[in-house]
Amino acid sequence: MAGLTCFYPDVYLDSTYEIDFEALYREGFRGVIFDIDNTLVPHGAPADARSIALFERLRSIGFESVLLSNNKEPRVKMFNDKVHSRYIYKAGKPGKKGYLRAMELMKTEPSTTLFVGDQLFTDVWGAKRTGILTYLVKPIHPKEEIQIVIKRRLEWIVLFFYRRSLKKRSGCGGKNR
């Protein structure tokens, strides 16, 4: 299953909100690219107190951020009106162009940028193809559009082999970062 490794995240966590951004900043990371739906809030939801606080925290640490979404501008703008980040809509993930544009906006390089998203075949694959550190998080809410539900079934297969590869490497199934 070596062909699946291009979809493996660098880090897999339960939630965006458990990432230690302070430690990442100390390691030299300066930019964070985020997916929105099911990464920061449930699909289609506006920014909530938790996501607003996260972006305030990121700014206080010194991070630049960009929201990178395949959604249309009204959806992305509605979320961004509360978190005050930069954003790119209709990003064309997993294509590299949106990721490269996000780094250009933040004035970062792949080595100083990380990506946080909830989907392997768009979020993680696109970021990995661009050389960015990838954080996959579990979807916040199970309600999703049918095309995403179908992709989730395929993601389960990739994640099965991903978890198995972690167990082989670490002997205890720990994170690979």
Side-chain angles (χ1 to χ4, degrees):
M1 287 293 160
L4 295 178
T5 59
C6 66
F7 300 110
Y8 289 3
D10 295 305
V11 181
Y12 184 31
L13 298 172
D14 288 337
S15 169
T16 299
Y17 300 98
E18 67 182 63
I19 298 172
D20 187 346
F21 288 104
E22 289 81 1
L24 290 164
Y25 193 85
R26 286 190 301 273
E27 289 178 31
F29 290 93
R30 295 298 181 262
V32 187
I33 304 170
F34 288 101
D35 175 54
I36 301 171
D37 288 324
N38 263 338
T39 298
L40 295 165
V41 292
H43 187 81
D48 57 13
R50 186 167 67 159
S51 59
I52 293 166
L54 173 63
F55 281 83
E56 288 171 357
R57 178 176 150 217
L58 290 169
R59 280 189 291 278
S60 74
I61 296 167
F63 271 108
E64 297 290 328
S65 66
V66 172
L67 302 169
L68 187 68
S69 177
N70 285 346
N71 276 304
K72 294 176 182 168
E73 187 173 23
R75 162 63 184 130
V76 180
K77 185 180 182 320
M78 176 200 39
F79 181 86
N80 190 58
D81 283 346
K82 300 281 186 181
V83 300
H84 309 292
S85 181
R86 294 182 190 92
Y87 66 87
I88 299 170
Y89 61 94
K90 288 188 180 179
K93 293 182 290 184
K96 292 177 166 186
K97 187 177 177 182
Y99 298 90
L100 294 170
R101 177 73 180 127
M103 286 187 288
E104 182 181 308
L105 290 172
M106 296 186 296
K107 297 177 177 46
T108 60
E109 304 288 325
S111 63
T112 60
T113 306
L114 62 119
F115 182 88
V116 183
D118 70 299
Q119 293 188 52
L120 288 175
F121 302 128
T122 51
D123 298 333
V124 169
W125 188 35
K128 285 185 75 92
R129 292 174 61 221
T130 315
I132 299 170
L133 180 71
T134 58
Y135 276 73
L136 177 69
V137 295
K138 292 180 181 172
I140 290 174
H141 194 275
K143 181 182 172 280
E144 297 182 298
E145 297 170 340
I146 187 64
Q147 69 272 18
I148 295 173
V149 171
I150 293 166
K151 282 195 282 186
R152 293 282 186 216
R153 301 289 190 260
L154 296 171
E155 285 181 352
W156 291 345
I157 296 165
V158 175
L159 288 171
F160 169 81
F161 289 104
Y162 167 74
R163 288 183 187 107
R164 195 165 86 175
S165 75
L166 288 181
K167 286 178 185 172
K168 285 180 182 176
R169 279 197 306 247
S170 69
C172 60
K175 297 175 190 140
N176 69 342
R177 175 156 160 71

